[in-house]
Amino acid sequence: VVAISAHSAAENVTNIVLDHHLAIEQALTHLYSLGHRRIAFMRGPRAIPDSDFRWEAIQQVASKMGLKLDPSLVIRIDSAGWSMKEGYHPMTPEIGYKPMQALLKKTRNFTAIFCFNDIAAIGAIRALKDVGLSVPGDVSVVGFDDIQSAAYSTPSLTTVRQPLTEMGKRGAQVLLERIANHEKEFPSMIVMAPKLIVRESTGPAKSR
């Protein structure tokens, strides 16, 4: 068995995974270099395994950088917009729009938000604009994945690119190798490198 973006500890399973620590380090270093210190975080749904691994990496990297994680600035996609009805999970900008809306009702004391994925980030940008805040003038937004539409959204989205095509190819290669070499030992995990793509949605922190 070869699993893409999974974290299975089962015997004889090779997991093709992203280096989440490096991904978070790239994103937070970028925001930090722009002067951002009050950073909000949008955690992923509990149903997605990467959510916990990415959050753990965020805590580790933030601690190392001396960035304080304010619990009041941490929101989660589960809380709004991610339906469990009939096992259907809507992957639309609404998953980021609703949590961002809820945060803005409580506070605007942040200069950037790091979203779980690009689709959520696009929803967050819409919520920010709906209350009269500009991106990146008032709030910088960082996504994750680098989906095709990220470069064409308004503003174009700064994001962490997952090498999804390469991960798929590597997984297929490993699977064929495992089929052809039953006796050979294979690693339980193959880690792939992310890449920060800087676009228009991030800029210097605005004084609060």
Side-chain angles (χ1 to χ4, degrees):
V1 174
V2 174
I4 309 292
S5 291
H7 303 270
S8 173
E11 190 176 356
N12 293 324
V13 174
T14 295
N15 298 276
I16 311 293
V17 300
L18 186 74
D19 187 336
H20 287 285
H21 192 279
L22 179 58
I24 302 306
E25 196 171 62
Q26 291 176 350
L28 292 189
T29 298
H30 172 64
L31 290 174
Y32 194 92
S33 71
L34 291 169
H36 295 282
R37 300 296 183 269
R38 293 283 296 170
I39 301 173
F41 293 89
M42 186 185 295
R43 297 183 63 179
R46 291 176 176 82
I48 296 181
D50 273 350
S51 299
D52 289 336
F53 286 92
R54 203 170 298 167
W55 178 243
E56 184 178 340
I58 286 171
Q59 294 177 89
Q60 292 172 353
V61 173
S63 176
K64 185 178 178 181
M65 293 176 65
L67 271 175
K68 182 183 177 183
L69 294 180
D70 185 341
S72 69
L73 297 180
V74 178
I75 52 180
R76 190 157 196 166
I77 290 175
D78 278 328
S79 62
W82 186 266
S83 175
M84 293 297 287
K85 295 176 182 177
E86 300 177 359
Y88 176 67
H89 311 311
M91 192 58 78
T92 70
E94 187 179 37
I95 66 173
Y97 183 85
K98 287 187 175 181
M100 187 79 252
Q101 250 189 343
L103 177 62
L104 289 167
K105 286 177 181 178
K106 294 189 299 181
T107 181
R108 296 187 185 183
N109 187 22
F110 57 96
T111 63
I113 182 164
F114 186 16
C115 297
F116 177 71
N117 61 22
D118 292 342
I119 293 174
I122 290 169
I125 289 171
R126 180 74 257 176
L128 287 161
K129 291 195 171 186
D130 282 353
V131 297
L133 296 175
S134 69
V135 177
D138 294 307
V139 179
S140 287
V141 178
V142 178
F144 206 101
D145 288 336
D146 195 26
I147 60 175
Q148 288 183 335
S149 59
Y152 299 95
S153 63
T154 305
S156 58
L157 190 62
T158 295
T159 185
V160 179
R161 176 181 293 165
Q162 287 204 65
L164 298 176
T165 300
E166 291 77 7
M167 290 169 77
K169 286 179 178 178
R170 186 74 183 102
Q173 289 169 351
V174 171
L175 183 62
L176 292 173
E177 289 171 12
R178 296 194 69 144
I179 292 170
N181 302 280
H182 291 287
E183 304 304 318
K184 183 179 175 181
E185 287 192 14
F186 289 84
S188 62
M189 189 173 295
I190 295 173
V191 181
M192 308 289 284
K195 182 180 180 181
L196 180 69
I197 307 298
V198 178
R199 297 194 180 102
E200 297 169 344
S201 67
T202 50
K206 184 176 181 179
S207 298
R208 282 285 187 265

